[in-house]
Amino acid sequence: MINLILCGGSGTRLWPLSRKYLPKQFVKIFDGESLFQKTVKRNMHLCDELFIISGENQYFLAVDQLEELDILKNKKVRFFLESEGRNTAPAIALSCFDMDPQETVLVCPSDHIVSDLDIYEQAVARAAELAEEENLVTFGISPSYPETGYGYIQAKGEDVRAFKEKPDAATAQKYLKSGDYLWNSGMFCFKSSTILKAMAKHSKDIFEASENAYNNRSIIGENQFKIKKKDMQSIPAESIDYAVMERTDNVKVVYGEFGWNDVGSFKSLFDLSEKDIVNNAVLNLQTEKVLKPVVINARDNLIINNKRQIAVIGEDNLVVVDTDDALLIANKSESQKVKEIVNQLKERGSELAEIHKTVIRPWGSYAILEEGPLYKIKKITVKAGKRLSLQKHFHRNEHWVVVSGTAKVTLDDEVFLLRQNESTFIKMGAEHRLENPGNIELVIIESQVGEYTGEDDIVRIEDDFKRNE
Amino acid sequence: MINLILCGGSGTRLWPLSRKYLPKQFVKIFDGESLFQKTVKRNMHLCDELFIISGENQYFLAVDQLEELDILKNKKVRFFLESEGRNTAPAIALSCFDMDPQETVLVCPSDHIVSDLDIYEQAVARAAELAEEENLVTFGISPSYPETGYGYIQAKGEDVRAFKEKPDAATAQKYLKSGDYLWNSGMFCFKSSTILKAMAKHSKDIFEASENAYNNRSIIGENQFKIKKKDMQSIPAESIDYAVMERTDNVKVVYGEFGWNDVGSFKSLFDLSEKDIVNNAVLNLQTEKVLKPVVINARDNLIINNKRQIAVIGEDNLVVVDTDDALLIANKSESQKVKEIVNQLKERGSELAEIHKTVIRPWGSYAILEEGPLYKIKKITVKAGKRLSLQKHFHRNEHWVVVSGTAKVTLDDEVFLLRQNESTFIKMGAEHRLENPGNIELVIIESQVGEYTGEDDIVRIEDDFKRNE
């Protein structure tokens, strides 16, 4: 069985924790693990192979987090990089074109929580049986309250009567009362050939456009392909539910009583989290030097704790999210309005809707520590064996001090090692490259001095990650 | 007339804005000015001379802020540095010993707001007349609500019937109703000889101990003296109200209907601040690159805005105080409980109760930008003409990059200039000194690398500020 993991997402629901370039599933808020990592671990011994669908600006996050779990060495992992998201039907079709038609596929969103793994495994095993019999299998969750944000499946045993779009409050209440309706979890199981056959029949346009796009794919590495933007845009954007599931009669549903939660809001994050004696939940973004919040006369709060000392007095039902560059304070019952905040920030042209202060790159990460009119100070972390592009700047000089690890520096015609506690100077206009030739992380402090220190004053002469092309 | 300004204060009431080493009166929250600066400006044309009483770890804050107002060149300013606070009676006595006995003294706390300056000047003029007639003059404020946190003056015209300690709620209500009681503002006016005579008569022990302490004072610079800690401790700690005012019959009161506010809590800060259309008040700690908070369905909030993007959803009556290293979220009506937060932090041994991330020193300031197990990155700002101590470290190397201004560096036997965009390396054990010989601010980025980067690994060989003695 292949575990197909959907890693899209706009990163708005848990802003400022999640952002466009670090969507919800990659944020490490569960004891140092991300929801993506939890998803991978949950399916690891059920599936022989991993197949990751991700945006081209996020896939290296998946690579990083798989490396942390030591998966890449032990399992075959394929990556399909979407140059543009077109919803689940094209994503699933394009992935299935890349598989043996007889292969069974377990489709999982990467940002859900499952708390009862034994029951989960039983459900997946049953789904695999049904998939083997040429069924398209969905996973339905017994609703515990009248949620209006999910689609519903009307079921009778394992048979599906109908799919229902997100209902209004009254309808959701009716669904809950009747007992025949289940939440549509967004998980699926089917044979590759079954879903493609159904799509060819019921959504011919998506099937054909996807087939063309797949045949025109770019191979960008071993087990990595990408669909060109023009080709992606030629495929109708549609969900797999609408394009296929609702239109066929070989659909089955497996009951998923395995403690499912889609962590769709800070409210659900609170519900999932451990509480203290007065029902406050504290999640720590840092693993070292954690400063415990001081709380006086305050209960039922969710506090996402970062580097600073937080103090709360006389407030209940708050969501407090402290990040390096943005702070959210919301009433828990209105925390879904965080999307409006993101929209307002976008309108202002603020990049805080999209990136974090620490920007994760394929080679490592950087953070701006301080900025003045004529200077910018960055902390640059380079992963073992990785290197930045060969580059030059027209408007700034750079001073590098190695504070941890060892750097290999290319500076015009010279190549030399820079060890911990050594420094070098990159003059304006000089071609240079920073590389970590070692086995441990390299950390340098870069002091940029110049009239202009914007990110766009960079000429890439050569780049391992093809960003100069 | 001499303006005697009391600059004590523990910095707890407006934590984390104010802290022990940056008490309330020095925080610049009123359009870029501090309450101390506002106090100085309010009295500048009423008084010929300034006399500042301050703790020895805070006096340079007063010096800095006076320099910003260009006062030091134009007026005589004396400084009395308390090595330990002993309340107002000893502070006033010790200052008056340093003055001509015939001098009229206007005593002002440094952390109050006065909004109607015309009426203020009339009140001070009347107080000066009464002081000339050998009276001890207090300033009474008509109470607008039954405050239990102030002392009261029972008055009949300009005559004082009695002083009353902070009342309980019922008594405060009675005072308010009767109309005979005024808030005791803590401002006074008298001739130096009048107050000393009264103190010699009514609080002989304080008078004599203060006289001895004054005679044993250390002259630490032109117009600067300090009382030794042992001598300070020998003086009974008492307020001027209790030690003198309540015991004499030559006390008068001037009505102070000049928009007085002691900014004793975030609630009063909110009341004083300008509000937007939904009654939110935003005060900015930064003057450049101000990120306007995004607010959805939230009113009556006080937001102290710093460097980060703040977003508030669905909350009213909050106090949000964002600083570099601490964040307070409080219900406005319970914001006085911030003192408990400070106490809890002290119990934890947290230095956040005492210092800010940017630590202000006599020569400038420093801030820790980043810390790792084997390194620490600091931004160091040196004021024009100032220098740090000649020093050395046993456990760390330092890399200095000048990002703004020009530095004069002493490194063992060498002395050289380091210009913008130049760097140098201070090897472990080397004697070194950093100086700003220029007329504009010097900013350097210091990357410390070593096994131990604590503030106590510093051997001061020579120091302009006598910290090696």
Side-chain angles (χ1 to χ4, degrees):
Chain A
M1 191 153 65
I2 296 185
N3 186 197
L4 182 66
I5 301 187
L6 307 168
C7 289
S10 57
T12 57
R13 287 186 181 202
L14 297 188
W15 184 92
L17 212 51
S18 64
R19 306 192 193 170
K20 184 177 170 189
Y21 290 105
L22 189 72
K24 189 177 84 181
Q25 63 268 26
F26 294 118
V27 180
K28 295 185 178 173
I29 33 171
F30 295 95
D31 308 316
E33 279 190 342
S34 70
L35 293 170
F36 169 74
Q37 288 177 317
K38 288 198 173 289
T39 304
V40 169
K41 282 171 79 173
R42 182 189 312 141
N43 296 311
M44 207 153 55
H45 54 287
L46 306 175
C47 300
D48 317 295
E49 215 181 291
L50 261 175
F51 199 115
I52 312 281
I53 307 179
S54 162
E56 54 186 334
N57 288 313
Q58 288 90 0
Y59 88 97
F60 58 86
L61 297 170
V63 174
D64 277 8
Q65 298 198 352
L66 289 171
E67 262 172 9
E68 286 171 12
L69 298 179
D70 226 16
I71 299 279
L72 291 172
K73 283 182 218 152
N74 307 317
K75 277 225 198 286
K76 183 176 172 189
V77 183
R78 271 182 272 189
F79 287 90
F80 157 30
L81 276 49
E82 296 181 304
S83 45
E84 187 173 304
R86 302 296 287 171
N87 212 332
T88 47
I92 288 171
L94 285 158
S95 306
C96 288
F97 284 123
D98 204 61
M99 297 177 192
D100 183 310
Q102 288 311 305
E103 196 71 66
T104 302
V105 188
L106 175 66
V107 180
C108 300
S110 55
D111 56 352
H112 295 177
I113 274 278
V114 164
S115 57
D116 192 330
L117 294 181
D118 285 341
I119 296 179
Y120 177 77
E121 286 180 21
Q122 289 165 25
V124 172
R126 177 61 189 147
E129 281 172 18
L130 292 165
E132 198 54 41
E133 296 159 10
E134 312 284 328
N135 291 297
L136 300 169
V137 187
T138 60
F139 290 77
I141 315 291
S142 288
S144 48
Y145 63 94
E147 170 70 50
T148 58
Y150 302 148
Y152 283 72
I153 298 167
Q154 190 184 7
K156 176 97 183 170
E158 286 181 337
D159 292 323
V160 172
R161 293 267 167 91
F163 284 87
K164 301 287 182 187
E165 308 265 313
K166 294 174 186 177
D168 58 27
T171 313
Q173 195 66 55
K174 214 177 63 189
Y175 288 172
L176 181 67
K177 235 176 169 176
S178 104
D180 291 344
Y181 292 81
L182 302 168
W183 289 337
N184 185 349
S185 70
M187 286 179 58
F188 304 101
C189 190
F190 36 65
K191 283 207 296 189
S192 172
S193 56
T194 317
I195 189 80
L196 287 177
K197 231 180 282 171
M199 204 180 292
K201 188 172 167 194
H202 300 291
S203 289
K204 207 172 163 214
D205 50 346
I206 298 179
F207 179 85
E208 286 177 354
S210 297
E211 193 172 34
N212 286 336
Y214 178 74
N215 291 336
N216 198 27
R217 71 193 178 282
S218 313
I219 306 291
I220 53 166
E222 201 193 342
N223 293 321
Q224 293 185 9
F225 71 91
K226 184 167 131 179
I227 304 293
K228 294 179 186 71
K229 192 157 190 158
K230 215 180 87 242
D231 289 335
M232 278 308 286
Q233 286 170 341
S234 75
I235 315 175
E238 205 57 80
S239 74
I240 193 76
D241 305 75
Y242 186 77
V244 182
M245 298 297 166
E246 299 187 5
R247 305 176 185 197
T248 60
D249 47 17
N250 56 335
V251 186
K252 295 282 178 188
V253 61
V254 165
Y255 283 58
E257 307 309 307
F258 37 66
W260 175 88
N261 190 311
D262 75 338
V263 201
S265 69
F266 284 112
K267 168 91 175 59
S268 11
L269 190 53
F270 175 77
D271 292 341
L272 282 168
S273 303
E274 209 179 305
K275 320 291 190 302
D276 67 14
I277 195 166
V278 290
N279 211 37
N280 289 318
V282 177
L283 297 178
N284 294 303
L285 295 178
Q286 303 296 317
T287 48
E288 282 169 44
K289 289 198 186 181
V290 176
L291 296 173
K292 196 170 170 260
V294 184
V295 169
I296 292 176
N297 189 24
R299 49 174 63 234
D300 304 314
N301 299 293
L302 171 65
I303 300 176
I304 315 269
N305 196 26
N306 190 22
K307 294 171 191 158
R308 299 178 317 147
Q309 177 65 56
I310 296 179
V312 180
I313 303 174
E315 285 291 334
D316 304 334
N317 288 308
L318 282 186
V319 171
V320 176
V321 185
D322 186 28
T323 71
D324 287 346
D325 51 6
L327 165 68
L328 172 72
I329 297 157
N331 187 296
K332 213 192 294 156
S333 65
E334 298 184 41
S335 63
Q336 76 286 2
K337 289 187 186 154
V338 78
K339 282 183 181 183
E340 292 175 39
I341 300 279
V342 174
N343 288 338
Q344 286 197 32
L345 288 174
K346 277 184 188 156
E347 274 166 33
R348 284 189 196 179
S350 167
E351 61 178 12
L352 291 169
E354 304 204 334
I355 59 169
H356 278 80
K357 187 181 172 191
T358 295
V359 180
I360 300 176
R361 307 303 309 147
W363 43 259
S365 65
Y366 72 83
I368 296 163
L369 299 182
E370 179 78 13
E371 248 178 304
L374 293 169
Y375 64 89
K376 188 188 271 181
I377 314 303
K378 274 186 183 176
K379 177 190 175 184
I380 299 175
T381 304
V382 187
K383 290 188 281 191
K386 294 284 196 287
R387 61 182 186 176
L388 283 69
S389 61
L390 180 65
Q391 55 186 241
K392 62 180 175 182
H393 314 289
F394 290 123
H395 305 289
R396 65 182 190 241
N397 306 281
E398 295 180 347
H399 298 258
W400 291 351
V401 177
V402 175
V403 295
S404 185
T406 299
K408 185 173 156 192
V409 177
T410 305
L411 185 53
D412 286 329
D413 300 330
E414 273 184 283
V415 176
F416 54 90
L417 287 184
L418 206 61
R419 295 164 192 86
Q420 190 191 28
N421 193 32
E422 293 181 344
S423 66
T424 193
F425 175 62
I426 317 289
K427 212 180 158 172
M428 213 178 278
E431 286 187 12
H432 59 279
R433 174 170 238 164
L434 178 63
E435 179 174 349
N436 179 357
N439 297 314
I440 62 162
E441 215 174 56
L442 163 67
V443 182
I444 76 158
I445 300 300
E446 175 179 277
S447 302
Q448 303 177 356
V449 185
E451 286 188 347
Y452 177 72
T453 57
E455 287 303 318
D456 53 347
D457 175 22
I458 180 165
V459 180
R460 289 200 174 90
I461 299 129
E462 202 187 298
D463 185 18
D464 291 350
F465 309 101
K466 315 285 179 219
R467 289 169 300 175
N468 54 331
E469 283 170 13
Chain B
M1 190 153 67
I2 297 184
N3 186 198
L4 182 66
I5 301 186
L6 307 167
C7 288
S10 58
T12 57
R13 287 187 181 201
L14 298 187
W15 184 92
L17 212 53
S18 64
R19 303 189 195 172
K20 183 176 171 189
Y21 291 105
L22 189 73
K24 190 177 80 180
Q25 63 267 27
F26 294 118
V27 180
K28 294 184 179 176
I29 34 171
F30 295 94
D31 308 316
E33 280 190 341
S34 69
L35 293 171
F36 169 73
Q37 288 177 317
K38 288 198 173 289
T39 304
V40 168
K41 282 171 78 173
R42 182 189 311 141
N43 295 310
M44 207 154 54
H45 54 288
L46 304 176
C47 300
D48 317 294
E49 213 182 292
L50 262 175
F51 199 115
I52 312 280
I53 306 179
S54 163
E56 53 187 336
N57 288 312
Q58 288 90 359
Y59 88 98
F60 58 86
L61 298 169
V63 173
D64 277 8
Q65 299 200 350
L66 289 171
E67 262 173 9
E68 286 172 12
L69 298 179
D70 226 15
I71 299 278
L72 291 173
K73 283 181 217 150
N74 305 317
K75 276 225 198 287
K76 181 175 174 189
V77 183
R78 270 181 272 188
F79 288 91
F80 158 29
L81 277 50
E82 294 181 304
S83 45
E84 186 174 304
R86 302 295 287 171
N87 212 331
T88 46
I92 289 171
L94 285 159
S95 306
C96 289
F97 283 124
D98 204 60
M99 298 175 192
D100 181 310
Q102 288 312 306
E103 196 71 66
T104 302
V105 188
L106 175 66
V107 180
C108 300
S110 55
D111 56 352
H112 296 177
I113 275 278
V114 164
S115 58
D116 192 330
L117 293 181
D118 285 341
I119 297 180
Y120 177 75
E121 286 180 20
Q122 289 165 26
V124 171
R126 177 62 189 145
E129 280 173 18
L130 290 167
E132 197 55 41
E133 296 161 10
E134 312 283 328
N135 290 297
L136 300 170
V137 187
T138 60
F139 290 77
I141 316 291
S142 287
S144 48
Y145 63 95
E147 169 70 51
T148 57
Y150 301 148
Y152 283 72
I153 298 168
Q154 190 185 6
K156 175 96 184 173
E158 287 182 336
D159 292 325
V160 173
R161 292 268 168 91
F163 284 87
K164 301 286 182 185
E165 308 265 315
K166 295 175 185 176
D168 58 28
T171 311
Q173 197 65 55
K174 214 175 63 187
Y175 289 172
L176 181 66
K177 235 179 170 173
S178 101
D180 292 344
Y181 292 81
L182 302 167
W183 289 338
N184 185 350
S185 70
M187 286 179 59
F188 303 101
C189 190
F190 38 64
K191 283 206 297 186
S192 172
S193 57
T194 317
I195 190 78
L196 287 177
K197 230 180 281 171
M199 202 179 293
K201 188 171 165 193
H202 299 292
S203 289
K204 206 172 163 219
D205 50 346
I206 299 179
F207 179 86
E208 285 177 355
S210 297
E211 193 173 32
N212 285 336
Y214 178 74
N215 291 335
N216 197 27
R217 74 194 177 279
S218 314
I219 307 293
I220 54 165
E222 201 192 341
N223 293 323
Q224 293 185 9
F225 71 90
K226 185 167 130 180
I227 303 293
K228 295 177 183 71
K229 193 160 189 156
K230 216 180 88 244
D231 288 335
M232 278 308 285
Q233 286 170 340
S234 74
I235 315 176
E238 205 56 78
S239 74
I240 194 75
D241 304 75
Y242 185 79
V244 181
M245 298 297 168
E246 297 187 7
R247 304 177 184 195
T248 60
D249 45 17
N250 56 334
V251 185
K252 295 283 177 188
V253 62
V254 166
Y255 283 59
E257 305 310 305
F258 37 66
W260 176 89
N261 190 311
D262 75 337
V263 203
S265 68
F266 284 112
K267 169 92 174 57
S268 12
L269 189 54
F270 175 77
D271 292 340
L272 282 169
S273 303
E274 210 178 308
K275 321 290 190 303
D276 67 14
I277 194 166
V278 289
N279 210 38
N280 289 318
V282 177
L283 297 179
N284 293 303
L285 295 178
Q286 302 295 317
T287 48
E288 283 168 43
K289 291 199 184 177
V290 175
L291 297 172
K292 197 170 169 260
V294 184
V295 169
I296 292 177
N297 189 25
R299 50 173 64 237
D300 305 314
N301 299 292
L302 170 65
I303 299 176
I304 314 269
N305 196 26
N306 189 21
K307 294 171 190 157
R308 300 178 317 147
Q309 177 66 56
I310 296 179
V312 181
I313 303 174
E315 285 290 334
D316 305 333
N317 287 308
L318 282 186
V319 171
V320 177
V321 185
D322 186 28
T323 71
D324 287 346
D325 52 6
L327 165 68
L328 172 71
I329 297 159
N331 187 297
K332 212 193 293 156
S333 64
E334 298 184 41
S335 62
Q336 76 285 1
K337 289 188 187 152
V338 77
K339 282 183 180 184
E340 292 175 39
I341 301 279
V342 174
N343 287 338
Q344 287 196 32
L345 289 174
K346 277 185 190 159
E347 272 166 33
R348 285 188 194 178
S350 167
E351 61 179 14
L352 291 168
E354 304 205 334
I355 59 169
H356 279 79
K357 188 180 171 192
T358 296
V359 181
I360 300 175
R361 306 303 307 148
W363 42 261
S365 66
Y366 71 84
I368 295 164
L369 300 181
E370 180 79 14
E371 249 177 304
L374 293 169
Y375 63 91
K376 186 188 271 181
I377 315 302
K378 275 187 183 176
K379 177 190 176 187
I380 298 176
T381 304
V382 187
K383 291 189 282 190
K386 293 282 195 288
R387 62 182 185 176
L388 283 69
S389 62
L390 179 66
Q391 55 184 242
K392 63 180 176 183
H393 314 290
F394 290 123
H395 305 289
R396 67 184 190 237
N397 305 280
E398 294 179 346
H399 299 258
W400 292 351
V401 177
V402 176
V403 295
S404 185
T406 299
K408 186 173 155 191
V409 177
T410 305
L411 186 52
D412 285 330
D413 299 330
E414 272 184 285
V415 177
F416 54 91
L417 287 184
L418 207 61
R419 295 165 193 86
Q420 191 189 28
N421 193 34
E422 293 181 342
S423 67
T424 194
F425 174 63
I426 317 289
K427 213 180 157 175
M428 214 177 278
E431 287 188 11
H432 60 280
R433 172 170 239 164
L434 178 63
E435 179 173 351
N436 180 356
N439 297 315
I440 62 162
E441 216 173 55
L442 163 68
V443 182
I444 76 160
I445 301 299
E446 174 179 277
S447 302
Q448 303 177 355
V449 184
E451 287 189 346
Y452 178 71
T453 57
E455 286 304 318
D456 53 347
D457 176 21
I458 180 168
V459 180
R460 289 200 175 91
I461 298 127
E462 202 187 298
D463 185 16
D464 291 351
F465 309 101
K466 316 286 179 215
R467 289 169 300 175
N468 55 330
E469 285 170 13

